[in-house]
Each structure stands twice: as C-alpha cells, then as structure tokens.
Amino acid sequence: MIVEAAGRLFFAPGSVRVSMDDLARELGMSKKTIYRHFPDKRSLLAAVLDRQFAAVERTLTAAAQDAQGQPFDVRVQRFLLAAGSELGRIGAAQLAAGRGDAMLRQYVEQRVDTVVYRRLDELFRDGHRQGLLPAPPELLSEITRGALERLLTSQLPRELDRTAADLLRATVDTVLYGAIRPAHSGHPGTSDEQLEAVIPTARDEEVGP
C-alpha cells in the first residue's frame, strides 16, 4: 500500500518533489509508521521504481509475444511503440536526467538499459542475422537510443501533435527504409498522406478490449 501510494504521488503529472510528509498525509498514517518499512526516501523511491519497471517489462514482453511470427519491421514497430509509451508514462528520461539523487539516476539508467535497450539490441541483432539489416545492429541501436531519450524530453511531439512513441517509430522507419527516394521513382517529395502513413496517430494503434 505504501509503495502504491508513493508511486501515485511521485509520478503524478507536474509532480516535482514529494516529501515523506506528503506521503504520510496521502496514506493517513504517521511518518514513523512509514519509516518502519522504509528507512529513508531513497529506499522507498527505489521500491517504487522497481514496481514501475516491472510493469514496463511486462508490457514489452507482451508486445514481443503478440508480434511473434510477424515481419521484422512489425516486430520493431510494436516494440518501439510499447517502449516509448511506457517510458513516457513513468517519466524515465526525466528521472535519469535530473530528478532525485545521483544514485537513483544511475539506478534508472541501469534499469532502462536492462529492460529496454538490451531487448532492442537483441532484436536488431536478430534482424541482422536474418540478413534483413545491412547496417551494423550496433549503429541502429545507438541511433534509436539517442532518438528515444531525446524525444521523451523534447517539445517536438507536442508541436507535431504526436506522441513520442509515434515519432520514435517514424525515426526508426526512416533509418530502416531511408528518407530519400531515388529520383527515378516518381516520388520527388513526401505527401501529407505518406507522412501520415509513416507517423500514425496514437489512435491508429488502439485496439478494443
């Protein structure tokens, strides 16, 4: 119960700093009772992060299972949409960039690496082994990592009225398929319809219960 309530406060929109007094008021209990379970705020926040990243991991595992047997590009897109959405939900980029103390920032970075990036690395290596990716998988991983971290803290998704996950998918599509069409292809530019196909709205990915 304490971890769940702390998570609601720590990850509430616009939340900057949550004190143990805030948490005690939320729970209707004394700080002394909270300290019986968690010796300090750092240990409590670590427990909250463990809970959050466990949820991220479950989502990514489900996305990978749902995409089994699908073409490689579909597998990549499903993974990136799930990863971008989940990391945006918990504010992982902001946590790693400055919220909390140095030890917790390092913890967030390690968890993102383990839960997200290692899975992405293996996905790109698998595509390379199948002969589907001529570029080195390490290069694609590095590009995707940079794009993900940048988009989660950028104002661009808001300016384009897209989610960070949408733009991440478009970034990787551009890397995988190229941004420049051959002059003889008869497609000198990119139409609005083509852009919509590359950058879907979040609604395009919604499924029923």
Side-chain angles (χ1 to χ4, degrees):
M1 183 172 71
I2 294 176
V3 174
E4 184 177 351
R8 288 196 302 270
L9 289 178
F10 288 142
F11 293 100
S15 174
V16 177
R17 186 175 297 277
V18 177
S19 68
M20 296 299 269
D21 288 318
D22 295 329
L23 181 58
R25 281 193 295 271
E26 174 75 11
L27 289 168
M29 63 175 61
S30 68
K31 287 195 295 182
K32 185 177 179 180
T33 302
I34 297 175
Y35 283 128
R36 288 198 192 105
H37 299 275
F38 299 95
D40 52 38
K41 184 177 175 181
R42 176 185 291 171
S43 62
L44 175 56
L45 184 51
V48 171
L49 291 170
D50 281 337
R51 179 186 176 96
Q52 293 287 337
F53 278 105
V56 173
E57 193 161 16
R58 287 193 298 271
T59 298
L60 295 184
T61 298
Q65 291 174 345
D66 289 344
Q68 278 186 344
Q70 295 292 326
F72 178 73
D73 59 337
V74 174
R75 292 169 57 202
V76 172
Q77 290 169 353
R78 296 275 179 84
F79 178 87
L80 291 175
L81 285 170
S85 297
E86 284 296 292
L87 292 181
R89 178 181 64 81
I90 69 172
Q94 291 87 342
L95 284 168
R99 185 176 175 184
D101 60 30
M103 183 178 295
L104 286 172
R105 289 198 298 273
Q106 184 179 28
Y107 174 84
V108 171
E109 291 169 356
Q110 291 172 345
R111 293 295 285 156
V112 171
D113 185 70
T114 300
V115 174
V116 179
Y117 293 144
R118 291 186 188 180
R119 292 168 183 259
L120 181 64
D121 292 346
E122 180 53 38
L123 186 57
F124 282 142
R125 283 195 295 267
D126 184 47
H128 190 67
R129 285 192 295 267
Q130 295 180 47
L132 301 173
L133 295 177
E138 296 83 2
L139 175 60
L140 293 174
S141 292
E142 194 68 18
I143 292 172
T144 306
R145 287 183 187 218
L148 177 58
E149 292 169 5
R150 182 71 181 96
L151 286 171
L152 288 176
T153 57
S154 172
Q155 293 299 313
L156 187 61
R158 180 179 300 177
E159 292 171 3
L160 296 180
D161 193 25
R162 309 289 180 176
T163 67
D166 291 336
L167 297 186
L168 178 64
R169 171 178 170 178
T171 299
V172 174
D173 282 349
T174 300
V175 172
L176 294 179
Y177 308 124
I180 301 176
R181 297 179 182 275
H184 57 75
S185 68
H187 299 281
T190 301
S191 67
D192 291 340
E193 291 79 9
Q194 289 169 322
L195 184 61
E196 289 292 334
V198 173
I199 311 179
T201 63
R203 293 184 295 277
D204 294 335
E205 298 296 326
E206 291 178 356
V207 294

